[in-house]
Amino acid sequence: MGKSGVISEKDKDSKAYHNVIVLFKIYRSVSWRMQVQIGQVKHRFQKEYGTDVDSFLESIYQAGMDLNEDEANIRPRVEAISSSNKFLKLIDESVELMRMYHPQGERYYWILYYTYMTPHQPENVAEIIAKLEPHLPFSSGINRSTYFRWRDNALKAVEGILWGYEEESRRLLEHYRDMWKEEI
């Protein structure tokens, strides 16, 4: 990204533009915000319409109503939830694919899970390593450098899966990387 904050064509070709670690760093934040949005929409629907979101949307679609002329601003909220859900699902599916087929997939899965994907953010690397111990058979403990090496390898494995997706998935990931930037 340039100093102006605008991404140029030259920047798009750089390795930093496809930085998977940035995506994982925002995963917990997007997940939390999505849950808050879902809760707000559910509460609003129940209060205003006396039904849940799914039933409401099903009745709208069956009746042939168009959400484009939505006076209550339902459409933007539903689209935001849908978009966030697609982001999380894409990451989850990529991690699960890596878990199932990569030679070190199970180990890498737990490293990514405890480092980035759990609802509770660990305080430090020592806490992550302690949580990893039960998932690493024949391990008498791992040291910090091993953890970081395995974490980097896990991120590279998922990165290979993510950037192999169709162009639409790539645009979705780029959108969320920029939209949900956290202070690093």
Side-chain angles (χ1 to χ4, degrees):
M1 186 168 343
K3 291 181 182 178
S4 66
V6 176
I7 299 172
S8 67
E9 288 301 315
K10 181 179 132 192
D11 295 325
K12 283 186 180 181
D13 294 331
S14 75
K15 184 167 174 61
Y17 191 69
H18 294 251
N19 192 342
V20 73
I21 196 166
V22 173
L23 295 173
F24 275 98
K25 283 184 177 185
I26 66 171
Y27 180 93
R28 192 175 283 116
S29 176
V30 172
S31 180
W32 179 78
R33 289 178 183 174
M34 187 176 123
Q35 294 306 315
V36 169
Q37 285 180 344
I38 289 171
Q40 290 172 344
V41 169
K42 283 182 178 180
H43 178 72
R44 182 174 177 186
F45 271 83
Q46 190 63 42
K47 184 178 177 183
E48 291 183 18
Y49 302 105
T51 186
D52 62 71
V53 176
D54 294 328
S55 299
F56 177 80
L57 289 175
E58 184 64 30
S59 66
I60 284 179
Y61 295 135
Q62 285 181 356
M65 293 177 69
D66 186 8
L67 286 179
N68 289 326
E69 297 179 21
D70 173 25
E71 294 176 16
N73 277 337
I74 296 167
R75 183 175 189 219
R77 288 185 181 197
V78 171
E79 286 177 349
I81 290 171
S82 175
S83 184
S84 295
N85 191 42
K86 286 178 185 176
F87 165 78
L88 295 174
K89 188 173 182 179
L90 185 60
I91 296 289
D92 291 343
E93 288 174 354
S94 298
V95 170
E96 193 58 37
L97 187 64
M98 182 257 329
R99 183 182 190 184
M100 290 177 15
Y101 297 108
H102 192 278
Q104 301 298 321
E106 190 68 19
R107 174 188 302 165
Y108 291 173
Y109 167 80
W110 289 112
I111 289 169
L112 293 176
Y113 178 76
Y114 287 122
T115 305
Y116 301 110
M117 300 173 77
T118 59
H120 167 73
Q121 183 170 357
E123 292 293 321
N124 53 40
V125 173
E127 184 180 341
I128 295 169
I129 291 172
K131 289 182 179 198
L132 285 173
E133 297 285 333
H135 301 286
L136 303 174
F138 310 112
S139 176
S140 61
I142 62 171
N143 60 36
R144 290 174 56 88
S145 62
T146 301
Y147 160 77
F148 286 113
R149 186 177 68 250
W150 287 352
R151 185 199 65 186
D152 291 346
N153 289 340
L155 290 167
K156 286 178 187 174
V158 172
E159 182 178 45
I161 295 168
L162 285 172
W163 305 135
Y165 274 51
E166 316 171 20
E167 186 62 29
E168 178 182 335
S169 298
R170 183 174 294 167
R171 282 193 308 264
L172 180 66
L173 288 170
E174 292 165 356
H175 166 75
Y176 274 97
R177 186 201 60 223
D178 295 336
M179 185 172 149
W180 296 96
K181 241 181 206 172
E182 280 191 357
E183 303 264 332
I184 299 176

